[in-house]
Amino acid sequence: LMGCCAHAAHGRHLYHWCIDKFGDMKFDMGSEILVDSPIYQTIMGTKPRTFKDFNEGLYYLEEEVVQLLAATHTGQESAFIDFESKALHAGRLDLLGMEICDMLQIVAYDMPRGAADAPIIEIGMGTLDQSKGVLIAYGHNLAAGAEAMLYAESNNLWDKVDIGGVCCTAHDLNRIGTGTGELRVPKNIGTKPKVAGAMGWWRKMIRSGIMDCVMVDEQCVFCDVLGDAEKRKIPVIATTDKIMLGLPDRTNDSVDAIVDDLVNFKVPGVAVLDPVKAGEIGIRVAIAVKPKRAEAKAQSLITEAQFKEGIAKCTQCNECAFVCPPHIRISKLIAEAVKGNNQEFSNFYEICVGCGRCEQSCPQGINILDLFEYANRQYVKNQKFKMRSGRGPARDTEIRAVGAPIVLGTIPGIIALVGCSNYPNGTKECYDIAKEFVDRGYIVVTSGCMAMDMSLYTDADGKTIWEQYPGGLDGRNILNTGSCVSNANIGDAAIKIATIFAHRNHRGNFDDIADYILSKVGACGVAWGAYSQKAASIATGCNSLGIPVVVQPHSVMYRRTFMGRTDKPEDWMVIDARDGKMQQIEPAPEALLYIAETKEEAMLEMAKLCFRPSDNSIGRGIKLTHYCDISMKYFGKLPDDWHIFVRDVKDLPLVYKEDMLKTLESKFGWKIDWKAKKILSGPLRPADVSFDPTNLARKIRTKK
């Protein structure tokens, strides 16, 4: 519910802002996206024609959120099943809020509409020109950052200032004016700001001292951003009422007075809730304060002597190691540094999550993060990686091309990686997961910080994952759909498979669409990160659409999981819509929300959760091959339940076929015709490409 509220409030702010700035624009996603707001239409039953039409959806969302919140009060809802129903409803509303956000900003700011050829761009702190004033726009709401860009553009200030985005604001600023729609902003202005990096990189960024001014907007901003900035004489501007940081509201004061106060360090920061005014102040402060910050910047960076003094204080007590989330033996890094070898600090730099617990626990008061900063100073300043820019939603033509292969299983599945990988080894693990599945021919979709984090790693040829694979909606492709709110495009694509490929009516028809996706669209999400309230809400929204999600161990704090009981055949009975008969199916998918302990377990479960009853024999064979291969690769054995997914000999992976047939006969008692290489008995049901599974009685075509 909290995550849903974050996106709903974001949508409401964008709605008012876009109409105030651009007027009631026609909602037009272009000629290649005619099913242009599938979540909105599926939930609301109407098609928005102009910006003001989205108000109906926002009103509905806001009313439902209030009713859901009321249900959590003492003496209200007590049945777990109804709580879960309400949780799924909140997730469904979150999908609606995200889609409204993304649709509004795509049209208002002319962002790409399904650009499979979105450009490869450089990201990282090294992309910022440190000879200029550096303004950082940090958060998820593009309004103030976009106004800063427009101010710089209209006043010809790009030679004096560089703008960098952090977290999802970075994705959105980078896309402004690069689309093919109605142009209300300067063409290609989005190519001028830089993508500084993900939210998880923040503490390392700010300790580098590169930035000269910070604008924060909303969501996923470190709570100590003001304190960290004040130590380094970096003025902070809060631009929305969601994150005020205890700063005075100076919205109605003159720009000159605010700039003077910030540039002369009379105040550490201000709140300015007018995006136009905040953008102008941010640019002017970044330019004017840069020379004044030079001394403070030098003082905030430790010297070689201070580095040596710090490491000399270490008594090797290992208190820091006990509280370190990635379990870095910091005492060993310091011991090597005492010998003159700082390389260990560099080796563990990306593993460190920058939480600062080590500094809080150190009895000697060593500023350990400053030691990391010193040892990696040049690396951070020159840090550059390659990432594909956000492309926006799937085009209708892409859906037509992949609909049948996904439903029949010949494209083994869609893997969607979402969330923030700000946890031990998270950046590498999200890359490993993406690489494993895109190599295997799955469609891999990602967004937000996850898209940035997997850009840190390269292959033997020095190419990032974005340079190795295309960005279309197809097998062996990896898509960056955009910012956090662009996660709605994942649900959009699933709905469009049902409506474009299968000709299902989606308007006001949520249960029918979710039933189709659950039974026929092989997709699986993974929120492999710190699992914020937003990530929980996004995952639950996917669940409401019939898309399973795998989450990492941290998610146990929510105490929720949706697991199937394979030992209860009655739970796996579905209707065959052809004739109304009941049919037991294999557990496909077996779970909707699965908590994995390791990335290896996660990958195995993700492959498994892409099975669907509608798979044809070729598709089932492909999926079973990947499921078995991943199990052999990481666990050294076949999965214990592989036989459950076998319906016919054609389903068996060729490489394991002979051994599997022997096992089916000897261990599970199946009857095999060895001469004809056929399975005579044993499977739950035969392979039948025309089988039409559903959970909705009204979908029965011929009742018997």
Side-chain angles (χ1 to χ4, degrees), residues 40-58:
Y40 190 99
Q41 294 179 42
T42 302
I43 293 174
M44 299 302 300
T46 59
K47 176 182 172 69
R49 306 288 180 180
T50 70
F51 279 4
K52 286 188 176 180
D53 289 345
F54 284 104
N55 200 35
E56 181 187 8
L58 287 167

Side-chain angles (χ1 to χ4, degrees), residues 327-500:
H327 307 297
I328 300 173
R329 291 293 297 274
I330 299 169
S331 59
K332 287 189 174 182
L333 276 58
I334 291 177
E336 286 298 311
V338 169
K339 300 175 187 176
N341 175 24
N342 294 344
Q343 185 59 42
E344 286 299 288
F345 273 106
S346 298
N347 292 343
F348 285 88
Y349 184 68
E350 296 298 348
I351 297 174
C352 168
V353 297
C355 66
R357 292 182 186 178
C358 53
E359 294 185 342
Q360 296 167 10
S361 67
C362 179
Q364 304 303 315
I366 302 172
N367 293 322
I368 296 169
L369 291 183
D370 285 344
L371 303 183
F372 270 102
E373 185 280 322
Y374 174 83
N376 294 280
R377 188 168 296 167
Q378 292 307 312
Y379 168 74
V380 174
K381 287 183 177 180
N382 299 312
Q383 184 186 55
K384 290 183 181 179
F385 312 103
K386 296 287 184 67
M387 179 189 76
R388 190 177 297 280
S389 182
R391 54 157 284 158
R395 302 191 311 276
D396 295 359
T397 49
E398 291 179 301
I399 296 294
R400 289 189 185 94
V402 301
I406 289 172
V407 170
L408 297 177
T410 51
I411 289 178
I414 303 172
I415 299 295
L417 291 97
V418 302
C420 174
S421 57
N422 184 31
Y423 73 100
N425 297 308
T427 55
K428 183 62 166 61
E429 290 190 350
C430 77
Y431 168 83
D432 290 341
I433 292 171
K435 188 76 166 67
E436 183 75 45
F437 283 97
V438 73
D439 272 345
R440 292 181 176 276
Y442 290 73
I443 299 171
V444 176
V445 186
T446 187
S447 62
C449 289
M450 198 64 87
M452 300 184 212
D453 285 333
M454 63 179 65
S455 305
L456 297 174
Y457 305 95
T458 58
D459 64 5
D461 297 323
K463 293 183 177 181
T464 66
I465 197 167
W466 304 104
E467 297 170 281
Q468 297 171 44
Y469 304 96
L473 187 75
D474 203 352
R476 290 185 64 81
N477 277 236
I478 178 166
L479 295 69
N480 172 12
T481 187
S483 61
C484 242
V485 295
S486 304
N487 282 315
N489 295 326
I490 298 168
D492 284 354
I495 292 171
K496 288 169 78 166
I497 290 172
T499 190
I500 293 175

